[in-house]
Amino acid sequence: MKTNLKKAALMMTGVLLGGGVFAQTTDVSNTEYVKPFSGASAYNTWSIGINGGLPSLMLATGGHNGFDHWKPAAGYGLSIRDQLVHSFGLQLDYNGGTVKGGVPSNVPYITNNAGERYTDFSTKFNQVSLSGVFNFATVDYLRRKNAVQFFLNAGLGVVYYTPTVTGYNGTDFPTTATSSFKSSALVMPIGGGVKFRVSDAVAINLGYNENFIDANSFNGVNQYPKTSHYSYGYGGIEFFLGSKSKPHLQWANPITSIQHEYLTEEQRLQSQIDAQKAINDQLRNDINATNANLAKFTTDSDGDGVADFYDKCPGTPSGVKVDGSGCPLPVAAAPRPDVKVYVTEEDRKIVKEAIRNLEFDFGKATIRAHSYPSLDRVAQLLIDKNFSLKLAGHTDAVGSNEANLRLSKDRAESIKSYLVSKGANPSRIEATGYGESQPIATNKTAKGRQMNRRVEFTLF
């Protein structure tokens, strides 16, 4: 008996040390979090368990009787549990086994109320009960994940039992025969224990129940009109049922969910602050860029009224009038005194030579190259004496009036452009086309048409 007690003590110590190791965990998986006030539907609540009684802990009193020499026997049990809230659940238990006892060595037998003598009893039982289970330390401020849990339980049920008693076979009195009978009674199991969480799906249970029976015949010997009771110490395994994505309500730590809610909200708010800060930084950069652009478009370093961005002539001296691009306006030349200029015969000779040498490509306003030298002398004459010149273009009658008018105008303009390119003042040259309207010879002969195709120079 002492050996069995030592083994049980060593086993209990090992389990408690193991539970201490389990209890050191500080990590929490995603399935541990449930939004506060989500209700029981957010958790797994069902579990099943199996257990076996330790023979050295299988004790029986059978009420107040003489069977106080306890003999080891086996017990077993099944349980189904629904966790209603963090700290309370309902559990349906089935227990079965055998309770044995005898008289101590210094007492040869016991007697019942009828004077019958007995030395041993053995009661087989089957028990069904419904209990409320109260959990402790479901709220843990030291660890995020619970690993050790203490509990108390109390309930009510029915026990079916068959006691067998062995009569005393001594010489001093007549022999009492062995007897057996079946009976049942209400039972009230009360107890407690501790659970060690091995994983999210499994826990180890160690517990002890004292079962109070509303009958005095559980040990088969009716000595006193009082109730019987037996105790059951056990170890077992509990399996948690439900979705892997949900935590079990029995082990859920509400503090973890509250902390997760706080940290998540803090992170969300921090993200909003960071996002708004990024927006503010971008707005600040945009404002700085806008200010820089405004400065670029409004800064006028030389004070001429034109911003530097548009000023093509920076550094204009103060007081100088400028145009829209910031460049100084041209200063009007002092008026030249009127000098009467006379057209000499030599001047007319230069013009006549230019008329005589002037030729165009056929049907075009393109001046032929051999006409350039005499036109150059006309340009120089206009420059030197500031003469005015009227150019009148004429054609023959070949072609339409519109085409001839256009061609005569183009040829007069072509000569003007050439003279201007050589430095002549364009404001003193007038180019006009008359087409075929002013012939100087008949258009019926080739010679007459040749004479009509001309550009007249009028110098004045």
Side-chain angles (χ1 to χ4, degrees), residues 70-94:
W70 316 119
K71 296 181 179 180
Y76 49 87
L78 300 173
S79 65
I80 300 175
R81 181 174 178 178
D82 183 18
Q83 192 73 24
L84 302 180
V85 294
H86 285 283
S87 58
F88 179 77
L90 288 178
Q91 182 168 304
L92 181 65
D93 288 288
Y94 164 77

Side-chain angles (χ1 to χ4, degrees), residues 375 378-379 382 389 391 415-424 429:
L375 290 175
V378 173
L382 296 177
L389 179 65
L391 300 171
I415 295 171
K416 177 180 178 179
S417 296
Y418 182 81
L419 295 175
V420 171
S421 71
K422 294 299 181 179
I429 302 174

Side-chain angles (χ1 to χ4, degrees), residues 367-440:
I367 303 172
R368 292 184 176 177
H370 68 81
S371 303
Y372 293 160
S374 57
L375 290 175
D376 292 344
R377 288 191 288 274
V378 173
Q380 191 63 46
L381 180 63
L382 296 177
I383 295 170
D384 293 341
K385 293 190 175 184
N386 199 27
F387 283 146
S388 295
L389 179 65
K390 180 177 180 180
L391 300 171
H394 302 273
T395 64
D396 58 22
V398 178
S400 66
N401 292 336
E402 293 79 3
N404 288 333
L405 182 62
R406 184 170 57 254
L407 179 59
S408 64
K409 175 67 174 175
D410 290 346
R411 284 179 174 177
E413 289 288 348
S414 180
I415 295 171
K416 177 180 178 179
S417 296
Y418 182 81
L419 295 175
V420 171
S421 71
K422 294 299 181 179
N425 187 349
S427 65
R428 302 188 71 86
I429 302 174
E430 179 184 354
T432 305
Y434 295 95
E436 60 185 68
S437 63
Q438 297 180 9
I440 58 175

Side-chain angles (χ1 to χ4, degrees), residues 199 320 335:
S199 70
V320 176

